[in-house]
Amino acid sequence: MTQTASIWLVILAALVAANLPFVNHRWFIVGPVAAGRKPLPMRLFEMLLLYFLVGGLALLLERRVGQIAPQGWEFYAITATLFLTLGFPGFVYRYLVKRRQ
């Protein structure tokens, strides 16, 4: 896999993972269906777990390409903010779109 393909794979995985807690009614994506509604803090906790999962995928792909670059706290602050931004469409769909009952 080329380096460009690896980058796009990580971006696509982050986009899907950031929105998954808002469109899925299961606990931790594969668990049982939540009775009623999942609370927002639980959805954010699922986002945090998926952030680390996508980060692990990115680390694995970076290791395959070559030497891993050292990262400081700034890198993690920016990637976490980007992950939250990518999850905004799912948040809007879940909490802000009016549904006719």
Side-chain angles (χ1 to χ4, degrees), residues 84-98:
L84 285 173
T85 303
L86 288 174
F88 187 68
F91 177 83
V92 168
Y93 173 75
R94 172 65 48 210
Y95 293 107
L96 300 179
V97 172
K98 302 239 186 219

PDB file of all heavy atoms in Angstrom, residues 84-98:
ATOM      1  N   LEU A  84     -13.152  14.950  16.809  1.00  0.00           N
ATOM      2  CA  LEU A  84     -14.435  15.521  17.248  1.00  0.00           C
ATOM      3  C   LEU A  84     -15.117  16.281  16.111  1.00  0.00           C
ATOM      4  O   LEU A  84     -16.341  16.216  15.961  1.00  0.00           O
ATOM      5  CB  LEU A  84     -14.217  16.451  18.437  1.00  0.00           C
ATOM      6  CG  LEU A  84     -13.951  15.796  19.772  1.00  0.00           C
ATOM      7  CD1 LEU A  84     -13.590  16.844  20.817  1.00  0.00           C
ATOM      8  CD2 LEU A  84     -15.151  14.991  20.219  1.00  0.00           C
ATOM      9  N   THR A  85     -14.347  16.999  15.312  1.00  0.00           N
ATOM     10  CA  THR A  85     -14.907  17.731  14.181  1.00  0.00           C
ATOM     11  C   THR A  85     -15.482  16.775  13.141  1.00  0.00           C
ATOM     12  O   THR A  85     -16.548  17.033  12.576  1.00  0.00           O
ATOM     13  CB  THR A  85     -13.835  18.624  13.543  1.00  0.00           C
ATOM     14  OG1 THR A  85     -13.311  19.499  14.552  1.00  0.00           O
ATOM     15  CG2 THR A  85     -14.397  19.441  12.402  1.00  0.00           C
ATOM     16  N   LEU A  86     -14.798  15.665  12.896  1.00  0.00           N
ATOM     17  CA  LEU A  86     -15.311  14.678  11.943  1.00  0.00           C
ATOM     18  C   LEU A  86     -16.604  14.037  12.435  1.00  0.00           C
ATOM     19  O   LEU A  86     -17.418  13.574  11.640  1.00  0.00           O
ATOM     20  CB  LEU A  86     -14.258  13.600  11.678  1.00  0.00           C
ATOM     21  CG  LEU A  86     -13.052  14.017  10.856  1.00  0.00           C
ATOM     22  CD1 LEU A  86     -12.027  12.897  10.813  1.00  0.00           C
ATOM     23  CD2 LEU A  86     -13.453  14.431   9.464  1.00  0.00           C
ATOM     24  N   GLY A  87     -16.802  13.990  13.749  1.00  0.00           N
ATOM     25  CA  GLY A  87     -18.012  13.407  14.316  1.00  0.00           C
ATOM     26  C   GLY A  87     -19.195  14.355  14.366  1.00  0.00           C
ATOM     27  O   GLY A  87     -20.293  13.965  14.762  1.00  0.00           O
ATOM     28  N   PHE A  88     -19.019  15.604  13.939  1.00  0.00           N
ATOM     29  CA  PHE A  88     -20.098  16.582  14.014  1.00  0.00           C
ATOM     30  C   PHE A  88     -21.322  16.209  13.183  1.00  0.00           C
ATOM     31  O   PHE A  88     -22.453  16.408  13.642  1.00  0.00           O
ATOM     32  CB  PHE A  88     -19.585  17.972  13.637  1.00  0.00           C
ATOM     33  CG  PHE A  88     -20.584  19.056  13.853  1.00  0.00           C
ATOM     34  CD1 PHE A  88     -20.969  19.414  15.133  1.00  0.00           C
ATOM     35  CD2 PHE A  88     -21.170  19.707  12.776  1.00  0.00           C
ATOM     36  CE1 PHE A  88     -21.903  20.408  15.346  1.00  0.00           C
ATOM     37  CE2 PHE A  88     -22.099  20.698  12.977  1.00  0.00           C
ATOM     38  CZ  PHE A  88     -22.472  21.050  14.265  1.00  0.00           C
ATOM     39  N   PRO A  89     -21.190  15.656  11.962  1.00  0.00           N
ATOM     40  CA  PRO A  89     -22.404  15.270  11.222  1.00  0.00           C
ATOM     41  C   PRO A  89     -23.251  14.226  11.964  1.00  0.00           C
ATOM     42  O   PRO A  89     -24.479  14.307  11.959  1.00  0.00           O
ATOM     43  CB  PRO A  89     -21.865  14.697   9.907  1.00  0.00           C
ATOM     44  CG  PRO A  89     -20.542  15.332   9.740  1.00  0.00           C
ATOM     45  CD  PRO A  89     -19.995  15.508  11.127  1.00  0.00           C
ATOM     46  N   GLY A  90     -22.613  13.279  12.618  1.00  0.00           N
ATOM     47  CA  GLY A  90     -23.368  12.293  13.392  1.00  0.00           C
ATOM     48  C   GLY A  90     -24.072  12.918  14.587  1.00  0.00           C
ATOM     49  O   GLY A  90     -25.207  12.565  14.915  1.00  0.00           O
ATOM     50  N   PHE A  91     -23.417  13.875  15.233  1.00  0.00           N
ATOM     51  CA  PHE A  91     -24.028  14.587  16.355  1.00  0.00           C
ATOM     52  C   PHE A  91     -25.248  15.375  15.886  1.00  0.00           C
ATOM     53  O   PHE A  91     -26.298  15.365  16.535  1.00  0.00           O
ATOM     54  CB  PHE A  91     -23.002  15.529  17.001  1.00  0.00           C
ATOM     55  CG  PHE A  91     -23.561  16.357  18.119  1.00  0.00           C
ATOM     56  CD1 PHE A  91     -23.660  15.827  19.385  1.00  0.00           C
ATOM     57  CD2 PHE A  91     -23.990  17.653  17.887  1.00  0.00           C
ATOM     58  CE1 PHE A  91     -24.186  16.588  20.428  1.00  0.00           C
ATOM     59  CE2 PHE A  91     -24.514  18.423  18.908  1.00  0.00           C
ATOM     60  CZ  PHE A  91     -24.609  17.883  20.188  1.00  0.00           C
ATOM     61  N   VAL A  92     -25.122  16.054  14.761  1.00  0.00           N
ATOM     62  CA  VAL A  92     -26.243  16.821  14.213  1.00  0.00           C
ATOM     63  C   VAL A  92     -27.395  15.884  13.871  1.00  0.00           C
ATOM     64  O   VAL A  92     -28.558  16.166  14.185  1.00  0.00           O
ATOM     65  CB  VAL A  92     -25.799  17.629  12.974  1.00  0.00           C
ATOM     66  CG1 VAL A  92     -26.987  18.193  12.221  1.00  0.00           C
ATOM     67  CG2 VAL A  92     -24.853  18.735  13.387  1.00  0.00           C
ATOM     68  N   TYR A  93     -27.097  14.755  13.258  1.00  0.00           N
ATOM     69  CA  TYR A  93     -28.137  13.795  12.906  1.00  0.00           C
ATOM     70  C   TYR A  93     -28.855  13.285  14.148  1.00  0.00           C
ATOM     71  O   TYR A  93     -30.069  13.175  14.169  1.00  0.00           O
ATOM     72  CB  TYR A  93     -27.517  12.627  12.129  1.00  0.00           C
ATOM     73  CG  TYR A  93     -28.485  11.510  11.875  1.00  0.00           C
ATOM     74  CD1 TYR A  93     -29.470  11.637  10.905  1.00  0.00           C
ATOM     75  CD2 TYR A  93     -28.422  10.332  12.612  1.00  0.00           C
ATOM     76  CE1 TYR A  93     -30.373  10.614  10.669  1.00  0.00           C
ATOM     77  CE2 TYR A  93     -29.320   9.311  12.386  1.00  0.00           C
ATOM     78  CZ  TYR A  93     -30.293   9.454  11.421  1.00  0.00           C
ATOM     79  OH  TYR A  93     -31.191   8.444  11.201  1.00  0.00           O
ATOM     80  N   ARG A  94     -28.117  12.984  15.194  1.00  0.00           N
ATOM     81  CA  ARG A  94     -28.712  12.399  16.392  1.00  0.00           C
ATOM     82  C   ARG A  94     -29.467  13.415  17.243  1.00  0.00           C
ATOM     83  O   ARG A  94     -30.554  13.124  17.743  1.00  0.00           O
ATOM     84  CB  ARG A  94     -27.618  11.728  17.238  1.00  0.00           C
ATOM     85  CG  ARG A  94     -28.038  11.247  18.594  1.00  0.00           C
ATOM     86  CD  ARG A  94     -29.062  10.127  18.616  1.00  0.00           C
ATOM     87  NE  ARG A  94     -28.705   9.077  17.717  1.00  0.00           N
ATOM     88  CZ  ARG A  94     -29.608   8.299  17.105  1.00  0.00           C
ATOM     89  NH1 ARG A  94     -30.873   8.454  17.328  1.00  0.00           N
ATOM     90  NH2 ARG A  94     -29.213   7.376  16.268  1.00  0.00           N
ATOM     91  N   TYR A  95     -28.923  14.594  17.439  1.00  0.00           N
ATOM     92  CA  TYR A  95     -29.484  15.513  18.436  1.00  0.00           C
ATOM     93  C   TYR A  95     -30.132  16.770  17.878  1.00  0.00           C
ATOM     94  O   TYR A  95     -30.926  17.399  18.586  1.00  0.00           O
ATOM     95  CB  TYR A  95     -28.395  15.915  19.438  1.00  0.00           C
ATOM     96  CG  TYR A  95     -27.949  14.751  20.268  1.00  0.00           C
ATOM     97  CD1 TYR A  95     -26.716  14.162  20.048  1.00  0.00           C
ATOM     98  CD2 TYR A  95     -28.746  14.239  21.272  1.00  0.00           C
ATOM     99  CE1 TYR A  95     -26.280  13.091  20.812  1.00  0.00           C
ATOM    100  CE2 TYR A  95     -28.354  13.165  22.035  1.00  0.00           C
ATOM    101  CZ  TYR A  95     -27.114  12.598  21.793  1.00  0.00           C
ATOM    102  OH  TYR A  95     -26.713  11.515  22.543  1.00  0.00           O
ATOM    103  N   LEU A  96     -29.815  17.195  16.674  1.00  0.00           N
ATOM    104  CA  LEU A  96     -30.311  18.473  16.192  1.00  0.00           C
ATOM    105  C   LEU A  96     -31.341  18.375  15.078  1.00  0.00           C
ATOM    106  O   LEU A  96     -32.083  19.323  14.839  1.00  0.00           O
ATOM    107  CB  LEU A  96     -29.140  19.351  15.727  1.00  0.00           C
ATOM    108  CG  LEU A  96     -28.109  19.671  16.810  1.00  0.00           C
ATOM    109  CD1 LEU A  96     -26.992  20.523  16.232  1.00  0.00           C
ATOM    110  CD2 LEU A  96     -28.731  20.344  18.008  1.00  0.00           C
ATOM    111  N   VAL A  97     -31.404  17.255  14.364  1.00  0.00           N
ATOM    112  CA  VAL A  97     -32.369  17.106  13.285  1.00  0.00           C
ATOM    113  C   VAL A  97     -33.725  16.767  13.890  1.00  0.00           C
ATOM    114  O   VAL A  97     -33.846  15.841  14.687  1.00  0.00           O
ATOM    115  CB  VAL A  97     -31.933  16.003  12.292  1.00  0.00           C
ATOM    116  CG1 VAL A  97     -33.012  15.708  11.289  1.00  0.00           C
ATOM    117  CG2 VAL A  97     -30.652  16.401  11.590  1.00  0.00           C
ATOM    118  N   LYS A  98     -34.738  17.539  13.519  1.00  0.00           N
ATOM    119  CA  LYS A  98     -36.104  17.288  14.016  1.00  0.00           C
ATOM    120  C   LYS A  98     -36.687  16.121  13.248  1.00  0.00           C
ATOM    121  O   LYS A  98     -36.669  16.081  12.030  1.00  0.00           O
ATOM    122  CB  LYS A  98     -36.961  18.533  13.832  1.00  0.00           C
ATOM    123  CG  LYS A  98     -36.407  19.726  14.532  1.00  0.00           C
ATOM    124  CD  LYS A  98     -37.402  20.236  15.511  1.00  0.00           C
ATOM    125  CE  LYS A  98     -36.840  21.514  16.077  1.00  0.00           C
ATOM    126  NZ  LYS A  98     -37.069  21.684  17.427  1.00  0.00           N
TER     127      LYS A  98
END
